[in-house]
Amino acid sequence: MKIAVCDDEIHFIDAICPMLEKWAKEREIKLTLYRFMNGDDLIDAQKSECMDLIILDVIMPLLSGIDTARELRNTNQTVPIVFLTSSREFAVDSYEVKALNYLIKPVDAAKLFLVLDDFLKTFRQSENFFTAKTADGFQRIDIADVDYLEAQNKQVLVHFSNDRTIAIRELFSKCAEIFSPENGFCCCHRSYIVNLSNVERFSKTEVITVHNAVIPISRGSYTAFKGTYFKHMFELTESS
């Protein structure tokens, strides 16, 4: 999980980050924290990092927290935002930019944990989705809808079960972490990852999906692919 904290007062960032680390540790969450002291740096970072949650101070010089949030929303960023404010008068503005919640400074750890726990429920429900970077911004992908992925030059083509294809600007290695055997996928070739539930048949050289896609299997990947496939099918049978 990636959480960004943006506040122009460094002492506040130093105060809230240990709270976030404690919350994540208690819930056994692997957490990466990002610290920003102005909205411009946060906006630039969000273009590539795609935070899972942003904790954002309302009152900051130059670009306020509300204006920062507006800028994020104008670029189709749906990232959840929790505002920090010293006054409740900004609550109305926070709803305008579809904020998840807001907290009064100084932040109480117990109240922060309640807000984070509410966020966690939604976050876990969305774990079957992958928000990928595209040429136009970000695309939310339902993992179950993907037939296979194909590395092509410096991008990855995502082929969906409904014959739609999109290009995403993500490392193939990152895709392999998301579209993993734990999520029902297997890398059968250095350039291909296939949805195991969509495999119609396979040989030592290729996979045929139920949507008639023909995907190569590299010589060194066949044994591992076969083992992963049958393990996946056994788990499906056990759970049904």
Side-chain angles (χ1 to χ4, degrees), residues 10 21 25 34 39 41 59 61 88 111 136 161-162 166 171-172 175 178 180 185 188 193 197 200 213 216 228:
I10 188 64
E21 290 169 345
K25 183 177 181 180
Y34 297 78
D41 288 347
I59 303 175
R88 296 182 186 276
K111 292 181 179 178
D136 301 319
S161 300
N162 62 2
I166 64 169
L171 293 175
F172 192 67
C175 293
I178 303 296
S180 64
F185 288 79
C188 59
I193 300 171
S197 295
E200 175 72 23
T228 302

mmCIF file of all heavy atoms in Angstrom, residues 10 21 25 34 39 41 59 61 88 111 136 161-162 166 171-172 175 178 180 185 188 193 197 200 213 216 228:
data_model
loop_
_atom_site.group_PDB
_atom_site.id
_atom_site.type_symbol
_atom_site.label_atom_id
_atom_site.label_comp_id
_atom_site.label_asym_id
_atom_site.label_seq_id
_atom_site.Cartn_x
_atom_site.Cartn_y
_atom_site.Cartn_z
ATOM 1 N N ILE A 10 6.996 20.398 8.207
ATOM 2 C CA ILE A 10 7.726 19.139 8.306
ATOM 3 C C ILE A 10 7.501 18.450 9.640
ATOM 4 O O ILE A 10 7.464 17.208 9.706
ATOM 5 C CB ILE A 10 9.243 19.370 8.070
ATOM 6 C CG1 ILE A 10 9.975 18.035 7.975
ATOM 7 C CG2 ILE A 10 9.831 20.249 9.153
ATOM 8 C CD1 ILE A 10 9.572 17.175 6.806
ATOM 9 N N GLU A 21 2.678 4.175 10.231
ATOM 10 C CA GLU A 21 3.489 2.961 10.289
ATOM 11 C C GLU A 21 2.963 2.004 11.357
ATOM 12 O O GLU A 21 2.927 0.781 11.154
ATOM 13 C CB GLU A 21 4.949 3.326 10.557
ATOM 14 C CG GLU A 21 5.614 4.010 9.373
ATOM 15 C CD GLU A 21 6.963 4.612 9.712
ATOM 16 O OE1 GLU A 21 7.255 4.753 10.925
ATOM 17 O OE2 GLU A 21 7.727 4.929 8.781
ATOM 18 N N LYS A 25 1.489 -1.730 10.652
ATOM 19 C CA LYS A 25 2.119 -2.874 11.315
ATOM 20 C C LYS A 25 1.084 -3.699 12.060
ATOM 21 O O LYS A 25 1.099 -4.942 12.000
ATOM 22 C CB LYS A 25 3.201 -2.387 12.271
ATOM 23 C CG LYS A 25 3.960 -3.521 12.952
ATOM 24 C CD LYS A 25 5.073 -2.977 13.841
ATOM 25 C CE LYS A 25 5.836 -4.121 14.508
ATOM 26 N NZ LYS A 25 6.926 -3.594 15.391
ATOM 27 N N TYR A 34 5.202 8.273 1.330
ATOM 28 C CA TYR A 34 5.783 9.333 0.506
ATOM 29 C C TYR A 34 5.512 10.658 1.204
ATOM 30 O O TYR A 34 4.385 10.904 1.655
ATOM 31 C CB TYR A 34 5.161 9.339 -0.891
ATOM 32 C CG TYR A 34 5.421 8.087 -1.685
ATOM 33 C CD1 TYR A 34 4.691 6.916 -1.445
ATOM 34 C CD2 TYR A 34 6.395 8.057 -2.685
ATOM 35 C CE1 TYR A 34 4.932 5.757 -2.171
ATOM 36 C CE2 TYR A 34 6.636 6.909 -3.416
ATOM 37 C CZ TYR A 34 5.901 5.761 -3.152
ATOM 38 O OH TYR A 34 6.146 4.613 -3.871
ATOM 39 N N GLY A 39 1.883 20.959 -2.923
ATOM 40 C CA GLY A 39 0.975 20.262 -3.810
ATOM 41 C C GLY A 39 1.554 19.942 -5.171
ATOM 42 O O GLY A 39 1.225 18.910 -5.770
ATOM 43 N N ASP A 41 4.624 19.093 -6.023
ATOM 44 C CA ASP A 41 5.436 17.869 -5.984
ATOM 45 C C ASP A 41 4.554 16.630 -5.864
ATOM 46 O O ASP A 41 4.840 15.585 -6.463
ATOM 47 C CB ASP A 41 6.423 17.921 -4.812
ATOM 48 C CG ASP A 41 7.557 18.906 -5.056
ATOM 49 O OD1 ASP A 41 7.725 19.351 -6.208
ATOM 50 O OD2 ASP A 41 8.275 19.237 -4.086
ATOM 51 N N ILE A 59 -4.482 23.947 4.262
ATOM 52 C CA ILE A 59 -3.868 25.278 4.186
ATOM 53 C C ILE A 59 -2.377 25.155 3.913
ATOM 54 O O ILE A 59 -1.591 24.783 4.796
ATOM 55 C CB ILE A 59 -4.112 26.065 5.489
ATOM 56 C CG1 ILE A 59 -5.616 26.167 5.757
ATOM 57 C CG2 ILE A 59 -3.490 27.447 5.394
ATOM 58 C CD1 ILE A 59 -5.947 26.821 7.083
ATOM 59 N N PRO A 61 0.836 27.244 1.410
ATOM 60 C CA PRO A 61 1.122 28.401 0.549
ATOM 61 C C PRO A 61 1.128 28.021 -0.927
ATOM 62 O O PRO A 61 1.299 26.850 -1.281
ATOM 63 C CB PRO A 61 2.525 28.843 1.015
ATOM 64 C CG PRO A 61 3.128 27.614 1.615
ATOM 65 C CD PRO A 61 1.987 26.875 2.239
ATOM 66 N N ARG A 88 -13.187 23.421 10.849
ATOM 67 C CA ARG A 88 -14.239 22.655 10.189
ATOM 68 C C ARG A 88 -14.859 23.403 9.008
ATOM 69 O O ARG A 88 -15.634 22.830 8.251
ATOM 70 C CB ARG A 88 -15.337 22.304 11.200
ATOM 71 C CG ARG A 88 -14.863 21.384 12.311
ATOM 72 C CD ARG A 88 -16.004 21.019 13.255
ATOM 73 N NE ARG A 88 -15.531 20.256 14.385
ATOM 74 C CZ ARG A 88 -15.348 18.938 14.378
ATOM 75 N NH1 ARG A 88 -15.608 18.255 13.271
ATOM 76 N NH2 ARG A 88 -14.916 18.310 15.449
ATOM 77 N N LYS A 111 -8.580 8.555 16.108
ATOM 78 C CA LYS A 111 -9.471 9.013 15.034
ATOM 79 C C LYS A 111 -8.861 8.712 13.663
ATOM 80 O O LYS A 111 -9.573 8.348 12.725
ATOM 81 C CB LYS A 111 -9.747 10.505 15.195
ATOM 82 C CG LYS A 111 -10.595 10.844 16.421
ATOM 83 C CD LYS A 111 -10.854 12.337 16.528
ATOM 84 C CE LYS A 111 -11.720 12.650 17.747
ATOM 85 N NZ LYS A 111 -11.959 14.104 17.906
ATOM 86 N N ASP A 136 -3.006 8.342 -21.745
ATOM 87 C CA ASP A 136 -3.948 9.414 -21.407
ATOM 88 C C ASP A 136 -4.111 9.652 -19.913
ATOM 89 O O ASP A 136 -4.819 10.568 -19.509
ATOM 90 C CB ASP A 136 -5.330 9.097 -21.998
ATOM 91 C CG ASP A 136 -5.278 8.942 -23.506
ATOM 92 O OD1 ASP A 136 -4.573 9.746 -24.143
ATOM 93 O OD2 ASP A 136 -5.911 8.014 -24.029
ATOM 94 N N SER A 161 -11.105 -10.422 -22.302
ATOM 95 C CA SER A 161 -11.927 -11.550 -22.752
ATOM 96 C C SER A 161 -12.974 -11.138 -23.780
ATOM 97 O O SER A 161 -13.487 -11.983 -24.523
ATOM 98 C CB SER A 161 -12.612 -12.207 -21.550
ATOM 99 O OG SER A 161 -11.639 -12.687 -20.640
ATOM 100 N N ASN A 162 -13.319 -9.849 -23.826
ATOM 101 C CA ASN A 162 -14.319 -9.370 -24.798
ATOM 102 C C ASN A 162 -13.681 -8.868 -26.085
ATOM 103 O O ASN A 162 -14.297 -8.118 -26.840
ATOM 104 C CB ASN A 162 -15.168 -8.264 -24.165
ATOM 105 C CG ASN A 162 -14.350 -7.040 -23.766
ATOM 106 O OD1 ASN A 162 -13.139 -6.998 -24.001
ATOM 107 N ND2 ASN A 162 -14.999 -6.057 -23.157
ATOM 108 N N ILE A 166 -6.020 -2.822 -24.776
ATOM 109 C CA ILE A 166 -5.497 -1.498 -24.452
ATOM 110 C C ILE A 166 -3.990 -1.597 -24.230
ATOM 111 O O ILE A 166 -3.478 -2.668 -23.883
ATOM 112 C CB ILE A 166 -6.172 -0.883 -23.204
ATOM 113 C CG1 ILE A 166 -5.863 -1.706 -21.954
ATOM 114 C CG2 ILE A 166 -7.659 -0.713 -23.408
ATOM 115 C CD1 ILE A 166 -6.268 -1.009 -20.664
ATOM 116 N N LEU A 171 5.935 -1.569 -16.569
ATOM 117 C CA LEU A 171 6.952 -2.585 -16.773
ATOM 118 C C LEU A 171 6.287 -3.961 -16.781
ATOM 119 O O LEU A 171 5.390 -4.235 -15.988
ATOM 120 C CB LEU A 171 8.003 -2.524 -15.669
ATOM 121 C CG LEU A 171 8.890 -1.286 -15.620
ATOM 122 C CD1 LEU A 171 9.794 -1.339 -14.381
ATOM 123 C CD2 LEU A 171 9.743 -1.181 -16.880
ATOM 124 N N PHE A 172 6.743 -4.832 -17.662
ATOM 125 C CA PHE A 172 6.188 -6.184 -17.710
ATOM 126 C C PHE A 172 6.436 -6.910 -16.393
ATOM 127 O O PHE A 172 5.606 -7.707 -15.942
ATOM 128 C CB PHE A 172 6.807 -6.956 -18.876
ATOM 129 C CG PHE A 172 6.103 -8.242 -19.186
ATOM 130 C CD1 PHE A 172 4.817 -8.243 -19.694
ATOM 131 C CD2 PHE A 172 6.739 -9.466 -18.979
ATOM 132 C CE1 PHE A 172 4.152 -9.437 -19.984
ATOM 133 C CE2 PHE A 172 6.085 -10.657 -19.257
ATOM 134 C CZ PHE A 172 4.795 -10.646 -19.764
ATOM 135 N N CYS A 175 3.738 -6.003 -14.037
ATOM 136 C CA CYS A 175 2.511 -6.723 -14.385
ATOM 137 C C CYS A 175 2.561 -8.157 -13.886
ATOM 138 O O CYS A 175 1.552 -8.709 -13.430
ATOM 139 C CB CYS A 175 2.298 -6.706 -15.898
ATOM 140 S SG CYS A 175 1.938 -5.060 -16.570
ATOM 141 N N ILE A 178 1.461 -8.385 -10.365
ATOM 142 C CA ILE A 178 0.012 -8.238 -10.186
ATOM 143 C C ILE A 178 -0.725 -9.454 -10.738
ATOM 144 O O ILE A 178 -1.568 -10.058 -10.074
ATOM 145 C CB ILE A 178 -0.489 -6.959 -10.885
ATOM 146 C CG1 ILE A 178 0.254 -5.715 -10.357
ATOM 147 C CG2 ILE A 178 -2.000 -6.824 -10.707
ATOM 148 C CD1 ILE A 178 0.016 -5.419 -8.908
ATOM 149 N N SER A 180 -0.288 -12.616 -11.116
ATOM 150 C CA SER A 180 0.555 -13.673 -10.569
ATOM 151 C C SER A 180 -0.221 -14.982 -10.441
ATOM 152 O O SER A 180 -1.452 -15.009 -10.577
ATOM 153 C CB SER A 180 1.056 -13.249 -9.189
ATOM 154 O OG SER A 180 -0.057 -13.111 -8.300
ATOM 155 N N PHE A 185 -2.955 -16.306 -12.744
ATOM 156 C CA PHE A 185 -2.244 -16.071 -13.991
ATOM 157 C C PHE A 185 -0.888 -16.775 -13.973
ATOM 158 O O PHE A 185 -0.379 -17.129 -12.911
ATOM 159 C CB PHE A 185 -2.024 -14.569 -14.223
ATOM 160 C CG PHE A 185 -3.278 -13.821 -14.585
ATOM 161 C CD1 PHE A 185 -4.200 -13.458 -13.606
ATOM 162 C CD2 PHE A 185 -3.558 -13.482 -15.900
ATOM 163 C CE1 PHE A 185 -5.365 -12.783 -13.931
ATOM 164 C CE2 PHE A 185 -4.716 -12.809 -16.238
ATOM 165 C CZ PHE A 185 -5.621 -12.461 -15.254
ATOM 166 N N CYS A 188 3.973 -17.644 -19.229
ATOM 167 C CA CYS A 188 4.345 -18.819 -20.005
ATOM 168 C C CYS A 188 5.471 -18.530 -21.005
ATOM 169 O O CYS A 188 5.934 -19.435 -21.706
ATOM 170 C CB CYS A 188 3.128 -19.366 -20.746
ATOM 171 S SG CYS A 188 2.351 -18.178 -21.876
ATOM 172 N N ILE A 193 1.733 -13.327 -20.392
ATOM 173 C CA ILE A 193 1.122 -13.803 -19.155
ATOM 174 C C ILE A 193 -0.315 -14.163 -19.483
ATOM 175 O O ILE A 193 -1.032 -13.368 -20.097
ATOM 176 C CB ILE A 193 1.136 -12.722 -18.049
ATOM 177 C CG1 ILE A 193 2.572 -12.294 -17.732
ATOM 178 C CG2 ILE A 193 0.442 -13.225 -16.785
ATOM 179 C CD1 ILE A 193 2.653 -11.090 -16.804
ATOM 180 N N SER A 197 -7.606 -19.519 -15.963
ATOM 181 C CA SER A 197 -9.016 -19.925 -16.037
ATOM 182 C C SER A 197 -9.538 -19.893 -17.471
ATOM 183 O O SER A 197 -10.588 -20.472 -17.757
ATOM 184 C CB SER A 197 -9.877 -19.022 -15.153
ATOM 185 O OG SER A 197 -9.540 -19.190 -13.789
ATOM 186 N N GLU A 200 -8.007 -23.109 -22.761
ATOM 187 C CA GLU A 200 -8.812 -24.181 -23.368
ATOM 188 C C GLU A 200 -7.987 -25.462 -23.474
ATOM 189 O O GLU A 200 -8.436 -26.545 -23.130
ATOM 190 C CB GLU A 200 -9.291 -23.740 -24.754
ATOM 191 C CG GLU A 200 -10.045 -24.794 -25.541
ATOM 192 C CD GLU A 200 -11.430 -25.051 -24.980
ATOM 193 O OE1 GLU A 200 -11.982 -24.158 -24.292
ATOM 194 O OE2 GLU A 200 -11.951 -26.156 -25.218
ATOM 195 N N ALA A 213 -7.320 -17.200 -28.580
ATOM 196 C CA ALA A 213 -6.004 -16.574 -28.671
ATOM 197 C C ALA A 213 -4.936 -17.667 -28.628
ATOM 198 O O ALA A 213 -5.058 -18.642 -27.885
ATOM 199 C CB ALA A 213 -5.803 -15.603 -27.517
ATOM 200 N N PRO A 216 2.374 -18.289 -27.237
ATOM 201 C CA PRO A 216 3.515 -19.215 -27.204
ATOM 202 C C PRO A 216 3.938 -19.578 -25.777
ATOM 203 O O PRO A 216 3.782 -18.793 -24.852
ATOM 204 C CB PRO A 216 4.616 -18.421 -27.913
ATOM 205 C CG PRO A 216 4.263 -16.990 -27.673
ATOM 206 C CD PRO A 216 2.758 -16.941 -27.698
ATOM 207 N N THR A 228 1.797 -25.074 -12.602
ATOM 208 C CA THR A 228 0.972 -23.973 -12.107
ATOM 209 C C THR A 228 -0.473 -24.114 -12.568
ATOM 210 O O THR A 228 -1.413 -23.862 -11.818
ATOM 211 C CB THR A 228 1.541 -22.620 -12.590
ATOM 212 O OG1 THR A 228 2.883 -22.489 -12.147
ATOM 213 C CG2 THR A 228 0.726 -21.453 -12.048
#
